[in-house]
Amino acid sequence: MDLGIRGKVALVTAASRGLGRGSAEALAEDGARIVLCARNEEALRDTEQAIAALGAEVLGIVADMADPTAPDRLIEATVERFGRLDIVVANAGGPPPASALELDDDAIRAAVEVNLLSAVRLVRGALPHMRAGGWGRLCCISSYSVVQPIPGLALSNTARSGLRAWAKTAAADLAAEGSGITLNLVCPGPHATERMRQLGGSGVTMGDPADFGRVVAFICSAHAGFVNGATIVVDGGATLAL
Ligand code: NAD
């Protein structure tokens, strides 16, 4: 199936490896032009080359999604290079494990900054460009913890549920505008990435980041215009919550 995104410009954050990279590669395979960011310059350049080898135009920018100025800087650089912005995949690294009863204020603030506010800022910054084009796809990579909190990941559980509630509200506002812009959450269950290795999740059945990226690409496609405000869980059936 042709996703109908040839020539569209997609910004994918935190994309030098794992699920962000899988998403950027899937969008590139369908003809999108890609802007990606990561904190580490060397890893970023490697990924940039791999995406260029797929035949896509690509721009890599060093940026930390914990930095409140990063979203606007990325969007500005995207529009400067490509003259438009059609797709945003908002991703960032997950917070460290933490017990709910021992959280301190600074740890909560840091998780909210990276896993909630960075996405809100990206959406806010992207909207004027998408409205100008009369079309847009906003997709936040979240976690299956929004439907079933994960024991020991209190920071992730807390910040991501806030993002889910915000995104649902914002998606309804976008629908009311009738602007052709959608906003969805794609929520990974366990996938074979560095993050999962660090959390010691080697015993469970893992998804493939490339397949996850193809789900993201479909949600960002021309065909998914009526999918809005959805929480799409990609977990191989691991979550039992209804
Ligand atoms: P990963 O650690 O394998 O890769 C994350 C990528 O983001 C890396 O390229 C890293 O350099 C970059 N990054 C991290 N923090 C960043 C920041 N502040 N600014 C810019 N770049 C940053 O992680 P992943 O497994 O691909 O996970 C992506 C997201 O999905 C994370 O938020 C993670 O918590 C969440 N998630 C992952 C799984 C899983 O099983 N892999 C499950 C549920 C949720």
Coordinates of all heavy atoms in Angstrom, one line a residue, residues 14-20 37-39 63-66 91-95 114-115 141-144 150 156 160 188-196 198, ligand 1:
A14 N 14.3 12.3 18.8 CA 14.9 11.2 19.6 C 15.0 9.9 18.6 O 14.4 8.9 19.0 CB 14.2 10.9 20.9
A15 N 15.7 10.1 17.5 CA 15.5 9.1 16.4 C 16.8 8.4 16.0 O 16.9 7.9 15.0 CB 14.9 9.7 15.2
S16 N 17.9 8.5 16.9 CA 19.1 7.9 16.4 C 19.1 6.4 16.6 O 20.0 5.7 16.0 CB 20.3 8.5 17.1 OG 20.3 8.3 18.5
R17 N 18.2 5.9 17.4 CA 18.1 4.4 17.5 C 16.6 4.0 18.0 O 15.8 4.9 18.2 CB 19.1 3.8 18.5 CG 18.9 4.3 19.9 CD 19.8 3.6 20.9 NE 19.4 4.0 22.2 CZ 20.1 4.4 23.2 NH1 21.4 4.7 23.0 NH2 19.5 4.7 24.4
G18 N 16.4 2.8 18.1 CA 15.2 2.3 18.7 C 13.9 2.7 17.9 O 13.9 2.7 16.7
L19 N 12.8 3.0 18.7 CA 11.5 3.2 18.1 C 11.4 4.5 17.2 O 10.7 4.5 16.2 CB 10.5 3.2 19.2 CG 10.5 2.0 20.1 CD1 9.4 2.1 21.2 CD2 10.2 0.7 19.3
G20 N 12.2 5.5 17.7 CA 12.2 6.8 16.9 C 12.9 6.5 15.5 O 12.4 6.9 14.5
C37 N 16.3 14.2 15.2 CA 17.2 14.8 16.2 C 17.6 13.7 17.1 O 16.9 12.7 17.3 CB 16.6 15.9 16.9 SG 15.6 15.5 18.4
A38 N 18.8 13.9 17.8 CA 19.2 13.1 18.9 C 20.3 13.9 19.6 O 20.7 15.0 19.1 CB 19.8 11.8 18.4
R39 N 20.7 13.4 20.8 CA 21.6 14.2 21.6 C 23.1 14.0 21.2 O 23.9 14.8 21.2 CB 21.5 13.8 23.1 CG 20.2 14.3 23.7 CD 19.9 13.6 25.0 NE 20.0 12.2 24.8 CZ 19.8 11.3 25.8 NH1 19.6 11.8 27.0 NH2 19.8 10.0 25.6
A63 N 19.9 17.8 19.3 CA 19.0 18.5 20.2 C 18.6 17.5 21.3 O 18.5 16.3 21.1 CB 17.8 18.9 19.4
D64 N 18.4 18.1 22.5 CA 18.0 17.4 23.7 C 16.6 17.8 24.0 O 16.3 18.9 24.2 CB 18.9 17.7 24.8 CG 18.6 16.9 26.1 OD1 17.5 16.3 26.2 OD2 19.5 16.9 27.0
M65 N 15.7 16.8 24.0 CA 14.2 17.1 24.2 C 13.9 17.6 25.6 O 12.8 18.0 25.9 CB 13.3 15.9 23.8 CG 13.4 15.5 22.3 SD 13.4 17.0 21.2 CE 11.7 17.5 21.4
A66 N 14.9 17.5 26.5 CA 14.8 18.1 27.8 C 15.0 19.6 27.8 O 14.6 20.3 28.7 CB 15.8 17.5 28.8
N91 N 9.0 12.0 20.1 CA 9.6 10.9 20.9 C 10.6 11.4 21.8 O 11.2 12.5 21.5 CB 10.2 9.8 19.9 CG 10.7 8.6 20.6 OD1 10.1 8.1 21.5 ND2 11.9 8.2 20.2
A92 N 10.9 10.7 22.9 CA 12.0 11.1 23.7 C 12.4 9.9 24.6 O 11.6 8.9 24.6 CB 11.6 12.3 24.7
G93 N 13.5 9.9 25.2 CA 13.9 8.8 26.0 C 13.0 8.6 27.2 O 12.4 9.6 27.7
G94 N 12.9 7.4 27.7 CA 12.1 7.2 28.9 C 12.8 7.6 30.2 O 14.0 7.5 30.2
P95 N 12.0 7.9 31.2 CA 12.6 8.3 32.5 C 13.2 7.1 33.2 O 12.8 5.9 32.9 CB 11.5 8.9 33.3 CG 10.3 8.4 32.6 CD 10.6 8.1 31.2
V114 N 10.4 16.0 29.8 CA 10.9 15.3 28.7 C 9.7 14.5 28.0 O 9.6 14.4 26.8 CB 12.0 14.3 29.1 CG1 12.4 13.4 27.9 CG2 13.2 15.1 29.5
N115 N 8.8 13.9 28.9 CA 7.8 13.0 28.3 C 6.4 13.6 28.2 O 5.5 12.9 27.7 CB 7.8 11.7 29.2 CG 9.1 10.9 29.1 OD1 9.8 10.9 30.0 ND2 9.4 10.4 27.9
I141 N 5.0 9.1 20.5 CA 5.3 7.8 20.9 C 5.3 7.8 22.5 O 6.0 8.6 23.1 CB 6.7 7.4 20.4 CG1 6.7 7.3 18.9 CG2 7.2 6.0 21.0 CD1 8.1 6.9 18.3
S142 N 4.4 6.9 23.0 CA 4.2 7.0 24.4 C 4.6 5.6 25.0 O 5.7 5.1 24.9 CB 2.7 7.3 24.7 OG 2.4 7.3 26.0
S143 N 3.7 4.9 25.7 CA 4.0 3.6 26.3 C 2.7 2.9 26.6 O 1.7 3.6 26.9 CB 4.8 3.8 27.6 OG 4.8 2.6 28.3
Y144 N 2.7 1.6 26.6 CA 1.5 0.9 27.1 C 1.2 1.2 28.5 O 0.1 0.8 29.0 CB 1.6 -0.6 26.8 CG 2.7 -1.4 27.6 CD1 2.3 -2.6 28.2 CD2 4.0 -1.0 27.6 CE1 3.3 -3.4 28.8 CE2 4.9 -1.7 28.3 CZ 4.6 -2.9 28.9 OH 5.5 -3.7 29.6
I150 N 3.0 0.4 34.7 CA 4.1 -0.6 34.8 C 4.7 -0.5 36.2 O 5.2 0.6 36.6 CB 5.1 -0.4 33.7 CG1 4.5 -0.5 32.3 CG2 6.2 -1.5 33.9 CD1 5.4 0.0 31.2
S156 N 7.4 7.3 34.5 CA 6.9 7.1 33.1 C 5.4 7.1 33.2 O 4.7 7.7 32.4 CB 7.5 5.8 32.5 OG 6.8 5.5 31.4
R160 N 3.3 10.1 31.3 CA 2.6 9.7 30.0 C 1.1 9.7 30.1 O 0.5 10.0 29.1 CB 3.1 8.3 29.7 CG 4.6 8.3 29.3 CD 5.0 6.9 28.8 NE 6.4 6.6 28.9 CZ 7.3 7.0 28.0 NH1 7.0 7.8 27.1 NH2 8.6 6.6 28.2
P188 N 4.0 1.8 22.6 CA 4.7 0.5 22.5 C 4.6 -0.3 23.8 O 4.7 0.2 24.9 CB 6.2 0.9 22.3 CG 6.3 2.3 22.9 CD 5.0 2.9 22.7
G189 N 4.4 -1.7 23.6 CA 4.7 -2.6 24.7 C 6.2 -3.0 24.5 O 6.9 -2.3 23.8
P190 N 6.6 -4.1 25.1 CA 8.1 -4.4 25.1 C 8.6 -4.6 23.6 O 8.0 -5.4 22.9 CB 8.1 -5.7 25.8 CG 6.9 -5.7 26.7 CD 5.8 -5.0 25.9
H191 N 9.6 -3.8 23.3 CA 10.3 -3.9 22.0 C 11.8 -4.0 22.2 O 12.3 -3.5 23.2 CB 10.0 -2.6 21.2 CG 8.7 -2.7 20.5 ND1 7.5 -2.5 21.2 CD2 8.3 -2.9 19.2 CE1 6.5 -2.6 20.3 NE2 6.9 -2.8 19.1
A192 N 12.4 -4.7 21.2 CA 13.8 -5.0 21.4 C 14.7 -3.7 21.0 O 15.1 -3.6 19.9 CB 14.2 -6.1 20.4
T193 N 14.9 -2.9 22.1 CA 15.7 -1.7 21.9 C 16.7 -1.6 23.1 O 16.6 -2.4 24.0 CB 14.8 -0.4 21.9 OG1 14.2 -0.3 23.2 CG2 13.7 -0.5 20.9
E194 N 17.5 -0.6 23.0 CA 18.5 -0.4 24.1 C 17.8 -0.1 25.4 O 18.2 -0.5 26.4 CB 19.4 0.8 23.6 CG 20.5 1.2 24.6 CD 21.5 0.0 24.9 OE1 21.6 -0.9 24.0 OE2 22.1 0.0 25.9
R195 N 16.7 0.7 25.3 CA 15.9 1.1 26.5 C 15.5 -0.2 27.2 O 15.6 -0.4 28.4 CB 14.7 1.9 26.1 CG 13.6 2.0 27.1 CD 13.8 3.1 28.1 NE 12.6 3.3 28.9 CZ 12.6 3.9 30.1 NH1 13.8 4.4 30.6 NH2 11.5 4.1 30.8
M196 N 14.9 -1.1 26.4 CA 14.4 -2.4 27.0 C 15.5 -3.2 27.6 O 15.4 -3.8 28.7 CB 13.6 -3.1 25.9 CG 12.9 -4.3 26.4 SD 12.0 -4.1 27.9 CE 10.6 -3.1 27.5
Q198 N 18.3 -2.0 28.9 CA 18.7 -1.3 30.1 C 17.7 -1.6 31.3 O 18.1 -1.7 32.4 CB 18.7 0.2 29.9 CG 20.0 0.6 29.2 CD 19.9 2.1 28.7 OE1 18.9 2.8 28.9 NE2 20.9 2.5 27.9
Ligands
NAD1 P1 16.0 3.9 23.3 O1 16.7 4.3 24.6 O2 16.4 2.6 22.7 O3 16.2 5.0 22.2 C1 15.9 6.3 22.5 C2 16.5 7.3 21.5 O4 16.2 8.6 21.9 C3 18.0 7.2 21.4 O5 18.4 7.6 20.1 C4 18.4 8.3 22.4 O6 19.7 8.8 22.2 C5 17.3 9.3 22.2 N1 17.0 10.2 23.3 C6 16.8 9.8 24.5 N2 16.5 10.9 25.3 C7 16.6 12.0 24.5 C8 16.4 13.3 24.7 N3 16.1 13.9 25.9 N4 16.5 14.2 23.6 C9 16.8 13.7 22.4 N5 17.0 12.4 22.2 C10 16.9 11.5 23.2 O7 14.5 3.9 23.6 P2 13.2 3.2 22.8 O8 13.1 1.8 23.3 O9 13.4 3.5 21.3 O10 12.0 4.1 23.4 C11 11.5 5.2 22.8 C12 10.4 5.7 23.8 O11 9.4 4.7 23.9 C13 10.9 6.0 25.2 O12 10.2 7.1 25.7 C14 10.6 4.7 25.9 O13 10.5 4.9 27.3 C15 9.3 4.3 25.3 N6 8.9 2.9 25.4 C16 9.7 2.0 24.9 C17 9.4 0.6 25.1 C18 10.3 -0.5 24.6 O14 10.0 -1.6 24.9 N7 11.3 -0.2 23.9 C19 8.2 0.3 25.8 C20 7.4 1.3 26.3 C21 7.7 2.6 26.1

